[in-house]
């Protein structure tokens, strides 16, 4: 297993629409294992393959994210292959301080659907379908957006987005 490098904004691969997975082979399983390890290493609750520079429709997430009783040593994650949102609730809410491992040093409130129904394939190639609420609903919307080249900063006001872009470009310039 390995910790993978996270691709950060404004890397162009984050804006690409990712390709569906056709076969679940050892290469894919290794990618998923490494994504899970990387997510916990970087203290994330979800990670999409484009964030490690692989434009394929795969996400991993922490199924225990946000649980008060969560054991910090518990590194169990769930992988979703070719996930899609089948339906979204009309009801929305604001996710507070949403962040992304690919968006360095920035968090924002984001308007999200309160619940979504997701269909995906698991590692055994079985089709699964489930409803996600609250934080899990946010994770699903956020991660599946990544597969379509959409970042959470695309879902905030244009003013806030512009301010973040300026800040990030300045930051990168100073790092040179
Ligand atoms: Ni993200």
């Amino acid at each position: 297993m390995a910790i993978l490098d996270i691709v950060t904004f404004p890397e162009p691969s984050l804006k690409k629409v990712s390709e569906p997975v056709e076969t679940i082979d050892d290469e894919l399983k290794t990618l998923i294992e490494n994504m899970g390890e990387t997510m916990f290493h970087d203290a994330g609750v979800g990670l999409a393959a484009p964030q490690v520079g692989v434009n394929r429709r795969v996400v991993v997430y922490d199924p225990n994210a946000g649980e008060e009783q969560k054991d910090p040593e518990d590194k169990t994650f769930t992988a979703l292959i070719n996930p899609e949102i089948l339906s979204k609730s009309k009801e929305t809410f604001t996710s507070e301080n949403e962040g992304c491992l690919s968006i360095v040093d920035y968090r924002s409130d984001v308007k999200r659907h309160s619940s979504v129904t997701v269909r995906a394939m698991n590692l055994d190639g079985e089709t699964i379908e489930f409803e996600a609420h609250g934080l899990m609903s946010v994770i699903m919307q956020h991660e599946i957006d990544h597969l379509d080249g959409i970042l959470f900063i695309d879902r905030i006001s244009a003013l806030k987005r512009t301010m973040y872009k300026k800040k990030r470009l300045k930051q990168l310039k100073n790092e040179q």
Side-chain angles (χ1 to χ4, degrees):
M1 294 212 287
I3 307 289
L4 305 170
D5 286 334
I6 302 277
V7 169
T8 59
F9 179 84
E11 196 64 48
S13 63
L14 289 171
K15 300 301 294 172
K16 276 191 202 157
V17 176
S18 290
E19 295 291 330
V21 171
E22 309 256 315
T23 43
I24 301 173
D25 53 15
D26 286 346
E27 190 198 343
L28 185 81
K29 286 178 183 168
T30 303
L31 169 71
I32 286 172
E33 281 300 317
N34 290 341
M35 282 172 62
E37 197 181 358
T38 304
M39 175 181 75
F40 284 117
H41 177 264
D42 292 350
V45 292
L47 188 68
Q51 294 184 270
V52 293
V54 179
N55 283 106
R56 298 177 77 186
R57 302 188 80 84
V58 179
V59 309
V60 298
Y61 68 98
D62 177 357
N64 302 310
E67 276 182 20
E68 279 176 32
Q69 300 297 318
K70 176 157 167 63
D71 171 5
E73 293 305 306
D74 184 357
K75 303 274 167 77
T76 314
F77 65 87
T78 304
L80 299 176
I81 300 161
N82 299 335
E84 50 183 323
I85 292 181
L86 292 182
S87 62
K88 318 165 189 190
S89 63
K90 276 200 190 108
E91 194 192 328
T92 58
F93 76 117
T94 304
S95 68
E96 282 173 38
N97 267 331
E98 198 171 319
C100 176
L101 295 175
S102 296
I103 308 291
V104 179
D105 294 335
Y106 186 69
R107 286 181 170 270
S108 178
D109 294 355
V110 184
K111 193 178 169 195
R112 295 293 191 185
H113 298 279
S114 305
S115 64
V116 292
T117 305
V118 176
R119 180 162 63 198
M121 212 155 61
N122 66 18
L123 267 174
D124 297 320
E126 298 158 345
T127 300
I128 50 167
E129 221 175 278
F130 60 94
E131 219 175 280
H133 304 269
L135 177 61
M136 278 303 140
S137 173
V138 175
I139 294 174
M140 292 305 138
Q141 290 168 75
H142 180 122
E143 300 310 330
I144 295 172
D145 263 354
H146 272 299
L147 306 181
D148 292 318
I150 299 166
L151 302 169
F152 84 84
I153 53 169
D154 295 317
R155 299 206 180 273
I156 61 178
S157 74
L159 178 67
K160 280 190 184 171
R161 185 166 53 250
T162 305
M163 278 165 60
Y164 172 70
K165 281 183 184 172
K166 272 190 191 158
K167 177 180 143 171
R168 178 64 177 151
L169 294 180
K170 202 170 160 188
Q171 190 180 42
L172 288 170
K173 211 173 162 188
N174 290 340
E175 277 173 16
Q176 277 171 5

